[in-house]
Amino acid sequence: MMLTAWEPASGQIHYSVPEEAKHGTFVGRIAQDLGLELAELVPRLFRLASKGHGDLLEVNLQNGILFVNSRIDREELCGRTLECSIHLEVIVDRPLQVFHVEVEVKDINDNAPVFPETQKYLFIAESRMLDSRFPLEDASDADIEENALLTYRLSPNEFFSLDVPTNDEQVKPLGLVLRKPLDREQSPELHLLLTATDRGKPELTGTVQLLIKVLDANDNAPAFDRTLYAVKLPENVPNGTLVIKLNASDLDEGLNGDIIYSFFSDISPDIKSKFYIDAVSGEIIAIGHIDFEESKTYKLRVEAIDKGSLPLAGHCTVLVQVLDANDNAPELTVTSLSLPISENAQPGTVITLISVSDRDSGANGQVTCSLTPQVPFKLVSTFKNYYSLVLDSALDRESVANYALVVTARDGGSPSLSATASVSVEVADVNDNAPAFAQPEYTVFVKENNPPGCHIFTVSARDADAQENALVSYSLVERRVGERALSSYVSVHAESGKVYALQPLDHEELELLQFQVSARDAGVPPLGSNVTLQVFVLDENDNAPALLPLPLPLPLPGARGGGGALSERVSRAVGAGHVVAKVRAVDADSGYNAWLSYELQPAAGGARSPFRVALYTGEISTTRALDEADAPRQRLLVLVKDHGEPALTATATVLLSLVESGQAPRPSSRVLAGGAGAGAGAALVDVNVYLIVAICAVSSLLVLTLLLSTALRCSAPPSEGACGPGKPTLVCSSAVGSWSYSQQRRQRVCSGEGPPKADLMAFSPSLPPSPFSPLFSPQQAPPNTDWRFSQAQRPGTSGSQNGDETGTWPNNQFDTEMLQAMILASASEAADGSSTLGGGAGTMGLSARYGPQFTLQHVPDYRQNVYIPGSNATLTNAAGKRDGKAPAGGNGSKKKSGKKEKK
C-alpha cells in the first residue's frame, strides 16, 4: 500500500515505498499531485533530478505516474539508521518551476542473522571440570527494529548447554557451559549447531557450526587388532617384498598415541637376517632368501610402544607360512652301467639303473621319466623314482654302433622343470658279416712279358664288423691252369690284397687267366667270400714277321730274320704293272703288331730297279716294260716290317730270271703258290669257312653284349686297379669261340702302362702261321685313318660318311687290336692273288670267293657296334669311307655304297 502525503505549505510531496519493490511498482501520481497537466509535461520538459539515486525512480510522461525503475535496498542506502528516504527534484520549464519530492524506503525482513564465521573451533581438554564456561560470539542482523531482534538455541547434546545473557547482562557474552565430563577416547570431537532467529515476518535464521575437539591425556596403551597373524609367503620372493603391515592403535593422541614397532629382543638371528620391521609403519619386509626347503614356517613376535611420558606397550605374534615353489629341477643319477652290450643281446636285457629325486613337495616333487624316442631301448619303473634301462628290440652294430640316449626327468610343477642325463650305450660287435667285395668280378689288362713279381691289381673286401671280426686276409682259390697250378702264375698278398704276376705272361700262350681270390675275416667262426678276376694278357711286339715256306727255298747267305729266297722266271715281254711274284709273311703277334708292310730295298750301286713291291700285299710287279738293257738275273731284297713299337723286320730275297717271250708261262698267284701242293688249297678253304663262322658268331654275341650292357648299366662303384679308373665294354673273341663282357659296372681295369680305355674294344685270336693262309691278300689297302665323327653324328655308333682314304693309320696299341676283325677278313683272300680287301662295295672281300651274290648284307654288320678307343668313330665309319672310294691300284670300280651305309 503506497502512502502519499501532500504538504502544500512546505511545497513538498512525500511518498513511501517498501524496499526490494519490483520494477514498475506504482509510487504516486506525481503530475496530478503537483497540479500539472499531462499535456504540458512534454512541452515544458518535465524531468526528475536526484543526488546519486536518479535511476531508482522514474516518471511516465504519458500518465504522470512515479514508479520504481530499479532495485531499492534499504540496507544499502541507509545502513542500520532508522529513517531512510530518497529526495527528488522535479523541474519544469516555461515557466521554470522546481518541486521537492521525498520518497521514504520502508524496511522489510530481508536479512537473516549472520555469525562472524560459519565454523567455530573449540579445543577443550578431556580433564576440564564441570560447569566450565566457554564464550561464543553473537550473531548480527542488517535489518532494524523487530526484524533485528534475535533469539539463540543450541543443538541437543549431553555435554554442553547454552548460556544466553539477559538484557541486564549485556556485558556478559554468549557461552557454552560443560555439563558432563569429556572422554577423548570415546568422543574425540563434538559437533554442535548454534542457531540465531530474528523476529521478522517471516522469521529468518543464521547458524554457526561449533567443532569441539577434546584434547588427549596418555591413559591408553597401544593395542593390535589381533594377537596372532597368519601370513602365507611364497619362497624365493625378491628382497623388499612386503610380508604384512601391522596396525597397532593407541586411543591416545599426539605423543601419547605415537607408536614404535619392533621385534622382541630375544628373536633369533636367522629371523633377523630374513625379515625387517619398519618402526614407524609397522611393515614387515623380507630381506633374505626365503627357502621352503630350508624352513617351512617362521614365528615373529612383535611389540608396539607409544611415546608417552610413561610409555605403554602392546604385543602380537606373526606366523609366516612359506609356500613351496617349483624351484628345484629333478636330479638324475645313473648307476650300474652294463656296457658295452653285445649286438646279439636278447630284448629285456638290463643295461643300467636310474634314480630320480626332487626336493620340492606335492606336484612340484612328482617326477616322470622319458627316453629319447625311436631307440631300441625303454625305461621300466622298478620302484618309486627308480627305473631300469632295458633293451627293447634287436641291435645291429653295423647299422648303429653307439647310441647316445637322453633320459629326461620332468616334475609336475607349473611351469614344470626338467633335467636330462646322457647315457652312451656302445654296441659290442659279433662276427655276423662276411667280407664283401664291391663287385663279384673284375677285369684286368696286363701286357705280356711283364717282369716277375709285377703288381697287376689290388682286390679289396670290406667287412662291416669291427676289430678282429673285420680283419680281412686274402688268398687264392687254387685250381689248375692247363697243366700248371694257378699259384705258379699269380699270388695275392694276404693283408693288402695286391695281386702279383709271378712270371712273365705270354699273350701267344695265354690270352685270358681267370681265377678267384678268397677274402676271410679273423672272427670266430671266420666268414669269407670270393671274387673273380679275369686277367687279359695284352699283346706286345715280341715276334718278328715270319716268311711263309716257299715252294723252292733257296737259302741265301745274306738273308735276315728267317728270310728265304724265291726264284721266278719273267718274260721280257710283260708290260708295266704286271705281277711277277708275291712275298708271303705272317706275324705271331696280334693287332697292330701283326700288321705287316713290304718295302723293296734299293739295288746296289743305286741302279733303279724295274720292279716294285705293294706296300701291304707283298706283290712284286713291274714299274715299266722290260727291255734288253735290264740284267737277265734280278736279285730283289724285300723288307717285311710290322707296325709294332719298336718295329721288327724280316728280309725276303726274290731271284727273277728274265727270259724271252714264250719261254716262261704267265705267272699268277696260283702258280706262285703251286709248290705248296693240293693240301694248301684244302687248307685255305677250311680257313675261309672258319672265318665266316667266326664273323657270324661275333655278330650274334654282339647283340647279346648290348643286352647285357643295358642290364648292367647301374652297378657297383669302381674299385681301385693298378692303372686308374676305366669303364670299357669288351667284346672279345678267342681261338675257341667268342665271349662278351659288359663293363658297365664301372670296375677299374689295368692294361699295364698308359691310361685305361673306357671304350668298346674288339679282340681276335692270333692264328698260328700257316703256309696256306697269309695275313695279307694281294692288293690289300691300308685301313682308313679318318676315324672321326662329324659334329652331328656324335655320339652315334653306326653313322658313316663317304670320303677318301688319306690320313695316318691309328697309332695306338689298343686301336690296332680292335681292328683285327677286319684284318682277319682280309686273310680269307690270301689264296686269290687277284682279289682285294674291298672286293667291291659292301663285300669285305667275300664276293671274290663266294660270288657277287654274297655280300655283307648276308652277314650282320657288327662294325657299327664296335667303338674305337681314342677316337670318335666306329668301324662302320672307316668301312664307309673305304667302300665309298676304291683303293689306288685296285681292280674294283669306284662306287658309292649308300644302301650299305644306311644299313
Side-chain angles (χ1 to χ4, degrees), residues 286-348:
I287 60 173
H289 178 61
I290 308 300
D291 190 0
F292 174 84
E293 288 72 32
E294 180 181 342
S295 177
K296 295 178 176 57
T297 58
Y298 293 93
K299 187 176 182 180
L300 312 178
R301 299 181 63 189
V302 181
E303 63 179 357
I305 304 175
D306 62 24
K307 295 181 180 179
S309 57
L310 296 175
L312 301 178
H315 307 87
C316 74
T317 300
V318 179
L319 186 62
V320 180
Q321 180 181 358
V322 181
L323 301 179
D324 181 40
N326 192 23
D327 59 340
N328 292 281
E331 297 179 358
L332 285 164
T333 303
V334 180
T335 58
S336 304
L337 291 174
S338 300
L339 300 175
I341 181 172
S342 176
E343 65 176 322
N344 60 355
Q346 296 299 319

Side-chain angles (χ1 to χ4, degrees), residues 137-415:
E137 294 182 355
D138 296 338
S140 61
D141 196 322
D143 295 325
I144 59 174
E145 297 179 346
E146 289 293 328
N147 294 333
L149 294 180
L150 304 177
T151 59
Y152 297 93
R153 69 177 181 274
L154 184 65
S155 60
N157 67 92
E158 58 181 338
F159 296 101
F160 294 96
S161 63
L162 183 64
D163 182 16
V164 181
T166 63
N167 293 333
D168 299 335
E169 299 174 333
Q170 293 294 333
V171 180
K172 184 178 180 181
L174 184 67
L176 293 176
V177 178
L178 181 62
R179 300 302 181 184
K180 181 180 179 180
L182 298 175
D183 186 357
R184 195 204 65 80
E185 286 73 30
Q186 292 184 359
S187 303
E189 290 184 354
L190 297 175
H191 296 270
L192 303 179
L193 183 65
L194 178 60
T195 305
T197 307
D198 61 19
R199 296 181 181 180
K201 301 272 184 197
E203 293 180 348
L204 299 178
T205 61
T207 60
V208 61
Q209 187 76 27
L210 300 179
L211 300 178
I212 301 173
K213 187 173 183 181
V214 181
L215 301 180
D216 181 55
N218 191 21
D219 56 350
N220 293 280
F224 293 94
D225 52 356
R226 284 184 290 177
T227 57
L228 178 64
Y229 295 89
V231 180
K232 293 182 178 180
L233 181 66
E235 65 173 332
N236 303 322
V237 294
N239 291 343
T241 301
L242 177 65
V243 179
I244 188 175
K245 182 176 181 180
L246 298 177
N247 185 18
S249 61
D250 193 321
L251 298 179
D252 297 326
E253 65 177 1
L255 293 178
N256 297 328
D258 290 344
I259 298 176
I260 298 176
Y261 299 91
S262 62
F263 290 128
F264 273 35
S265 58
D266 60 348
I267 198 168
S268 66
D270 180 58
I271 294 179
K272 285 185 177 181
S273 65
K274 298 182 182 300
F275 299 97
Y276 165 78
I277 184 170
D278 189 281
V280 177
S281 64
E283 294 179 346
I284 297 179
I285 299 172
I287 60 173
H289 178 61
I290 308 300
D291 190 0
F292 174 84
E293 288 72 32
E294 180 181 342
S295 177
K296 295 178 176 57
T297 58
Y298 293 93
K299 187 176 182 180
L300 312 178
R301 299 181 63 189
V302 181
E303 63 179 357
I305 304 175
D306 62 24
K307 295 181 180 179
S309 57
L310 296 175
L312 301 178
H315 307 87
C316 74
T317 300
V318 179
L319 186 62
V320 180
Q321 180 181 358
V322 181
L323 301 179
D324 181 40
N326 192 23
D327 59 340
N328 292 281
E331 297 179 358
L332 285 164
T333 303
V334 180
T335 58
S336 304
L337 291 174
S338 300
L339 300 175
I341 181 172
S342 176
E343 65 176 322
N344 60 355
Q346 296 299 319
T349 302
V350 178
I351 299 172
T352 184
L353 301 178
I354 301 174
S355 62
V356 296
S357 62
D358 196 316
R359 297 179 59 195
D360 295 324
S361 63
N364 298 332
Q366 295 178 359
V367 182
T368 58
C369 285
S370 61
L371 190 62
T372 305
Q374 298 180 354
V375 292
F377 305 94
K378 65 180 179 179
L379 287 174
V380 177
S381 178
T382 57
F383 188 66
K384 181 180 180 181
N385 293 337
Y386 285 89
Y387 295 86
S388 294
L389 179 65
V390 300
L391 182 62
D392 189 35
S393 60
L395 298 176
D396 185 8
R397 192 206 65 82
E398 289 71 37
S399 299
V400 181
N402 187 283
Y403 290 91
L405 306 181
V406 177
V407 181
T408 303
R410 187 177 300 276
D411 59 28
S414 179

Side-chain angles (χ1 to χ4, degrees), residues 883-886 892-896:
D883 296 340
K885 183 177 180 181
S893 61
K894 299 182 180 178
K895 293 183 180 180
K896 299 290 184 177

Side-chain angles (χ1 to χ4, degrees), residues 29 73 176 232 348 384 420 445 480 512 524 604 666 734:
R29 298 181 182 273
D73 188 0
L176 293 176
K232 293 182 178 180
K384 181 180 180 181
T420 60
F445 295 91
R480 303 293 295 179
L512 172 64
V524 178
R666 177 181 178 88
S734 65

Side-chain angles (χ1 to χ4, degrees), residues 47-58 66 77 85-91 99-103:
R47 55 190 182 275
L48 289 179
S50 176
K51 295 180 180 179
H53 308 289
D55 60 342
L56 297 179
L57 300 172
E58 191 62 59
L66 180 65
L77 292 175
S85 300
I86 300 175
H87 297 279
L88 302 176
E89 289 182 352
V90 178
I91 303 173
F99 303 95
H100 295 279
V101 179
E102 181 180 1
V103 180

Side-chain angles (χ1 to χ4, degrees), residues 674-687:
L684 288 175
V685 174
D686 294 339
V687 170

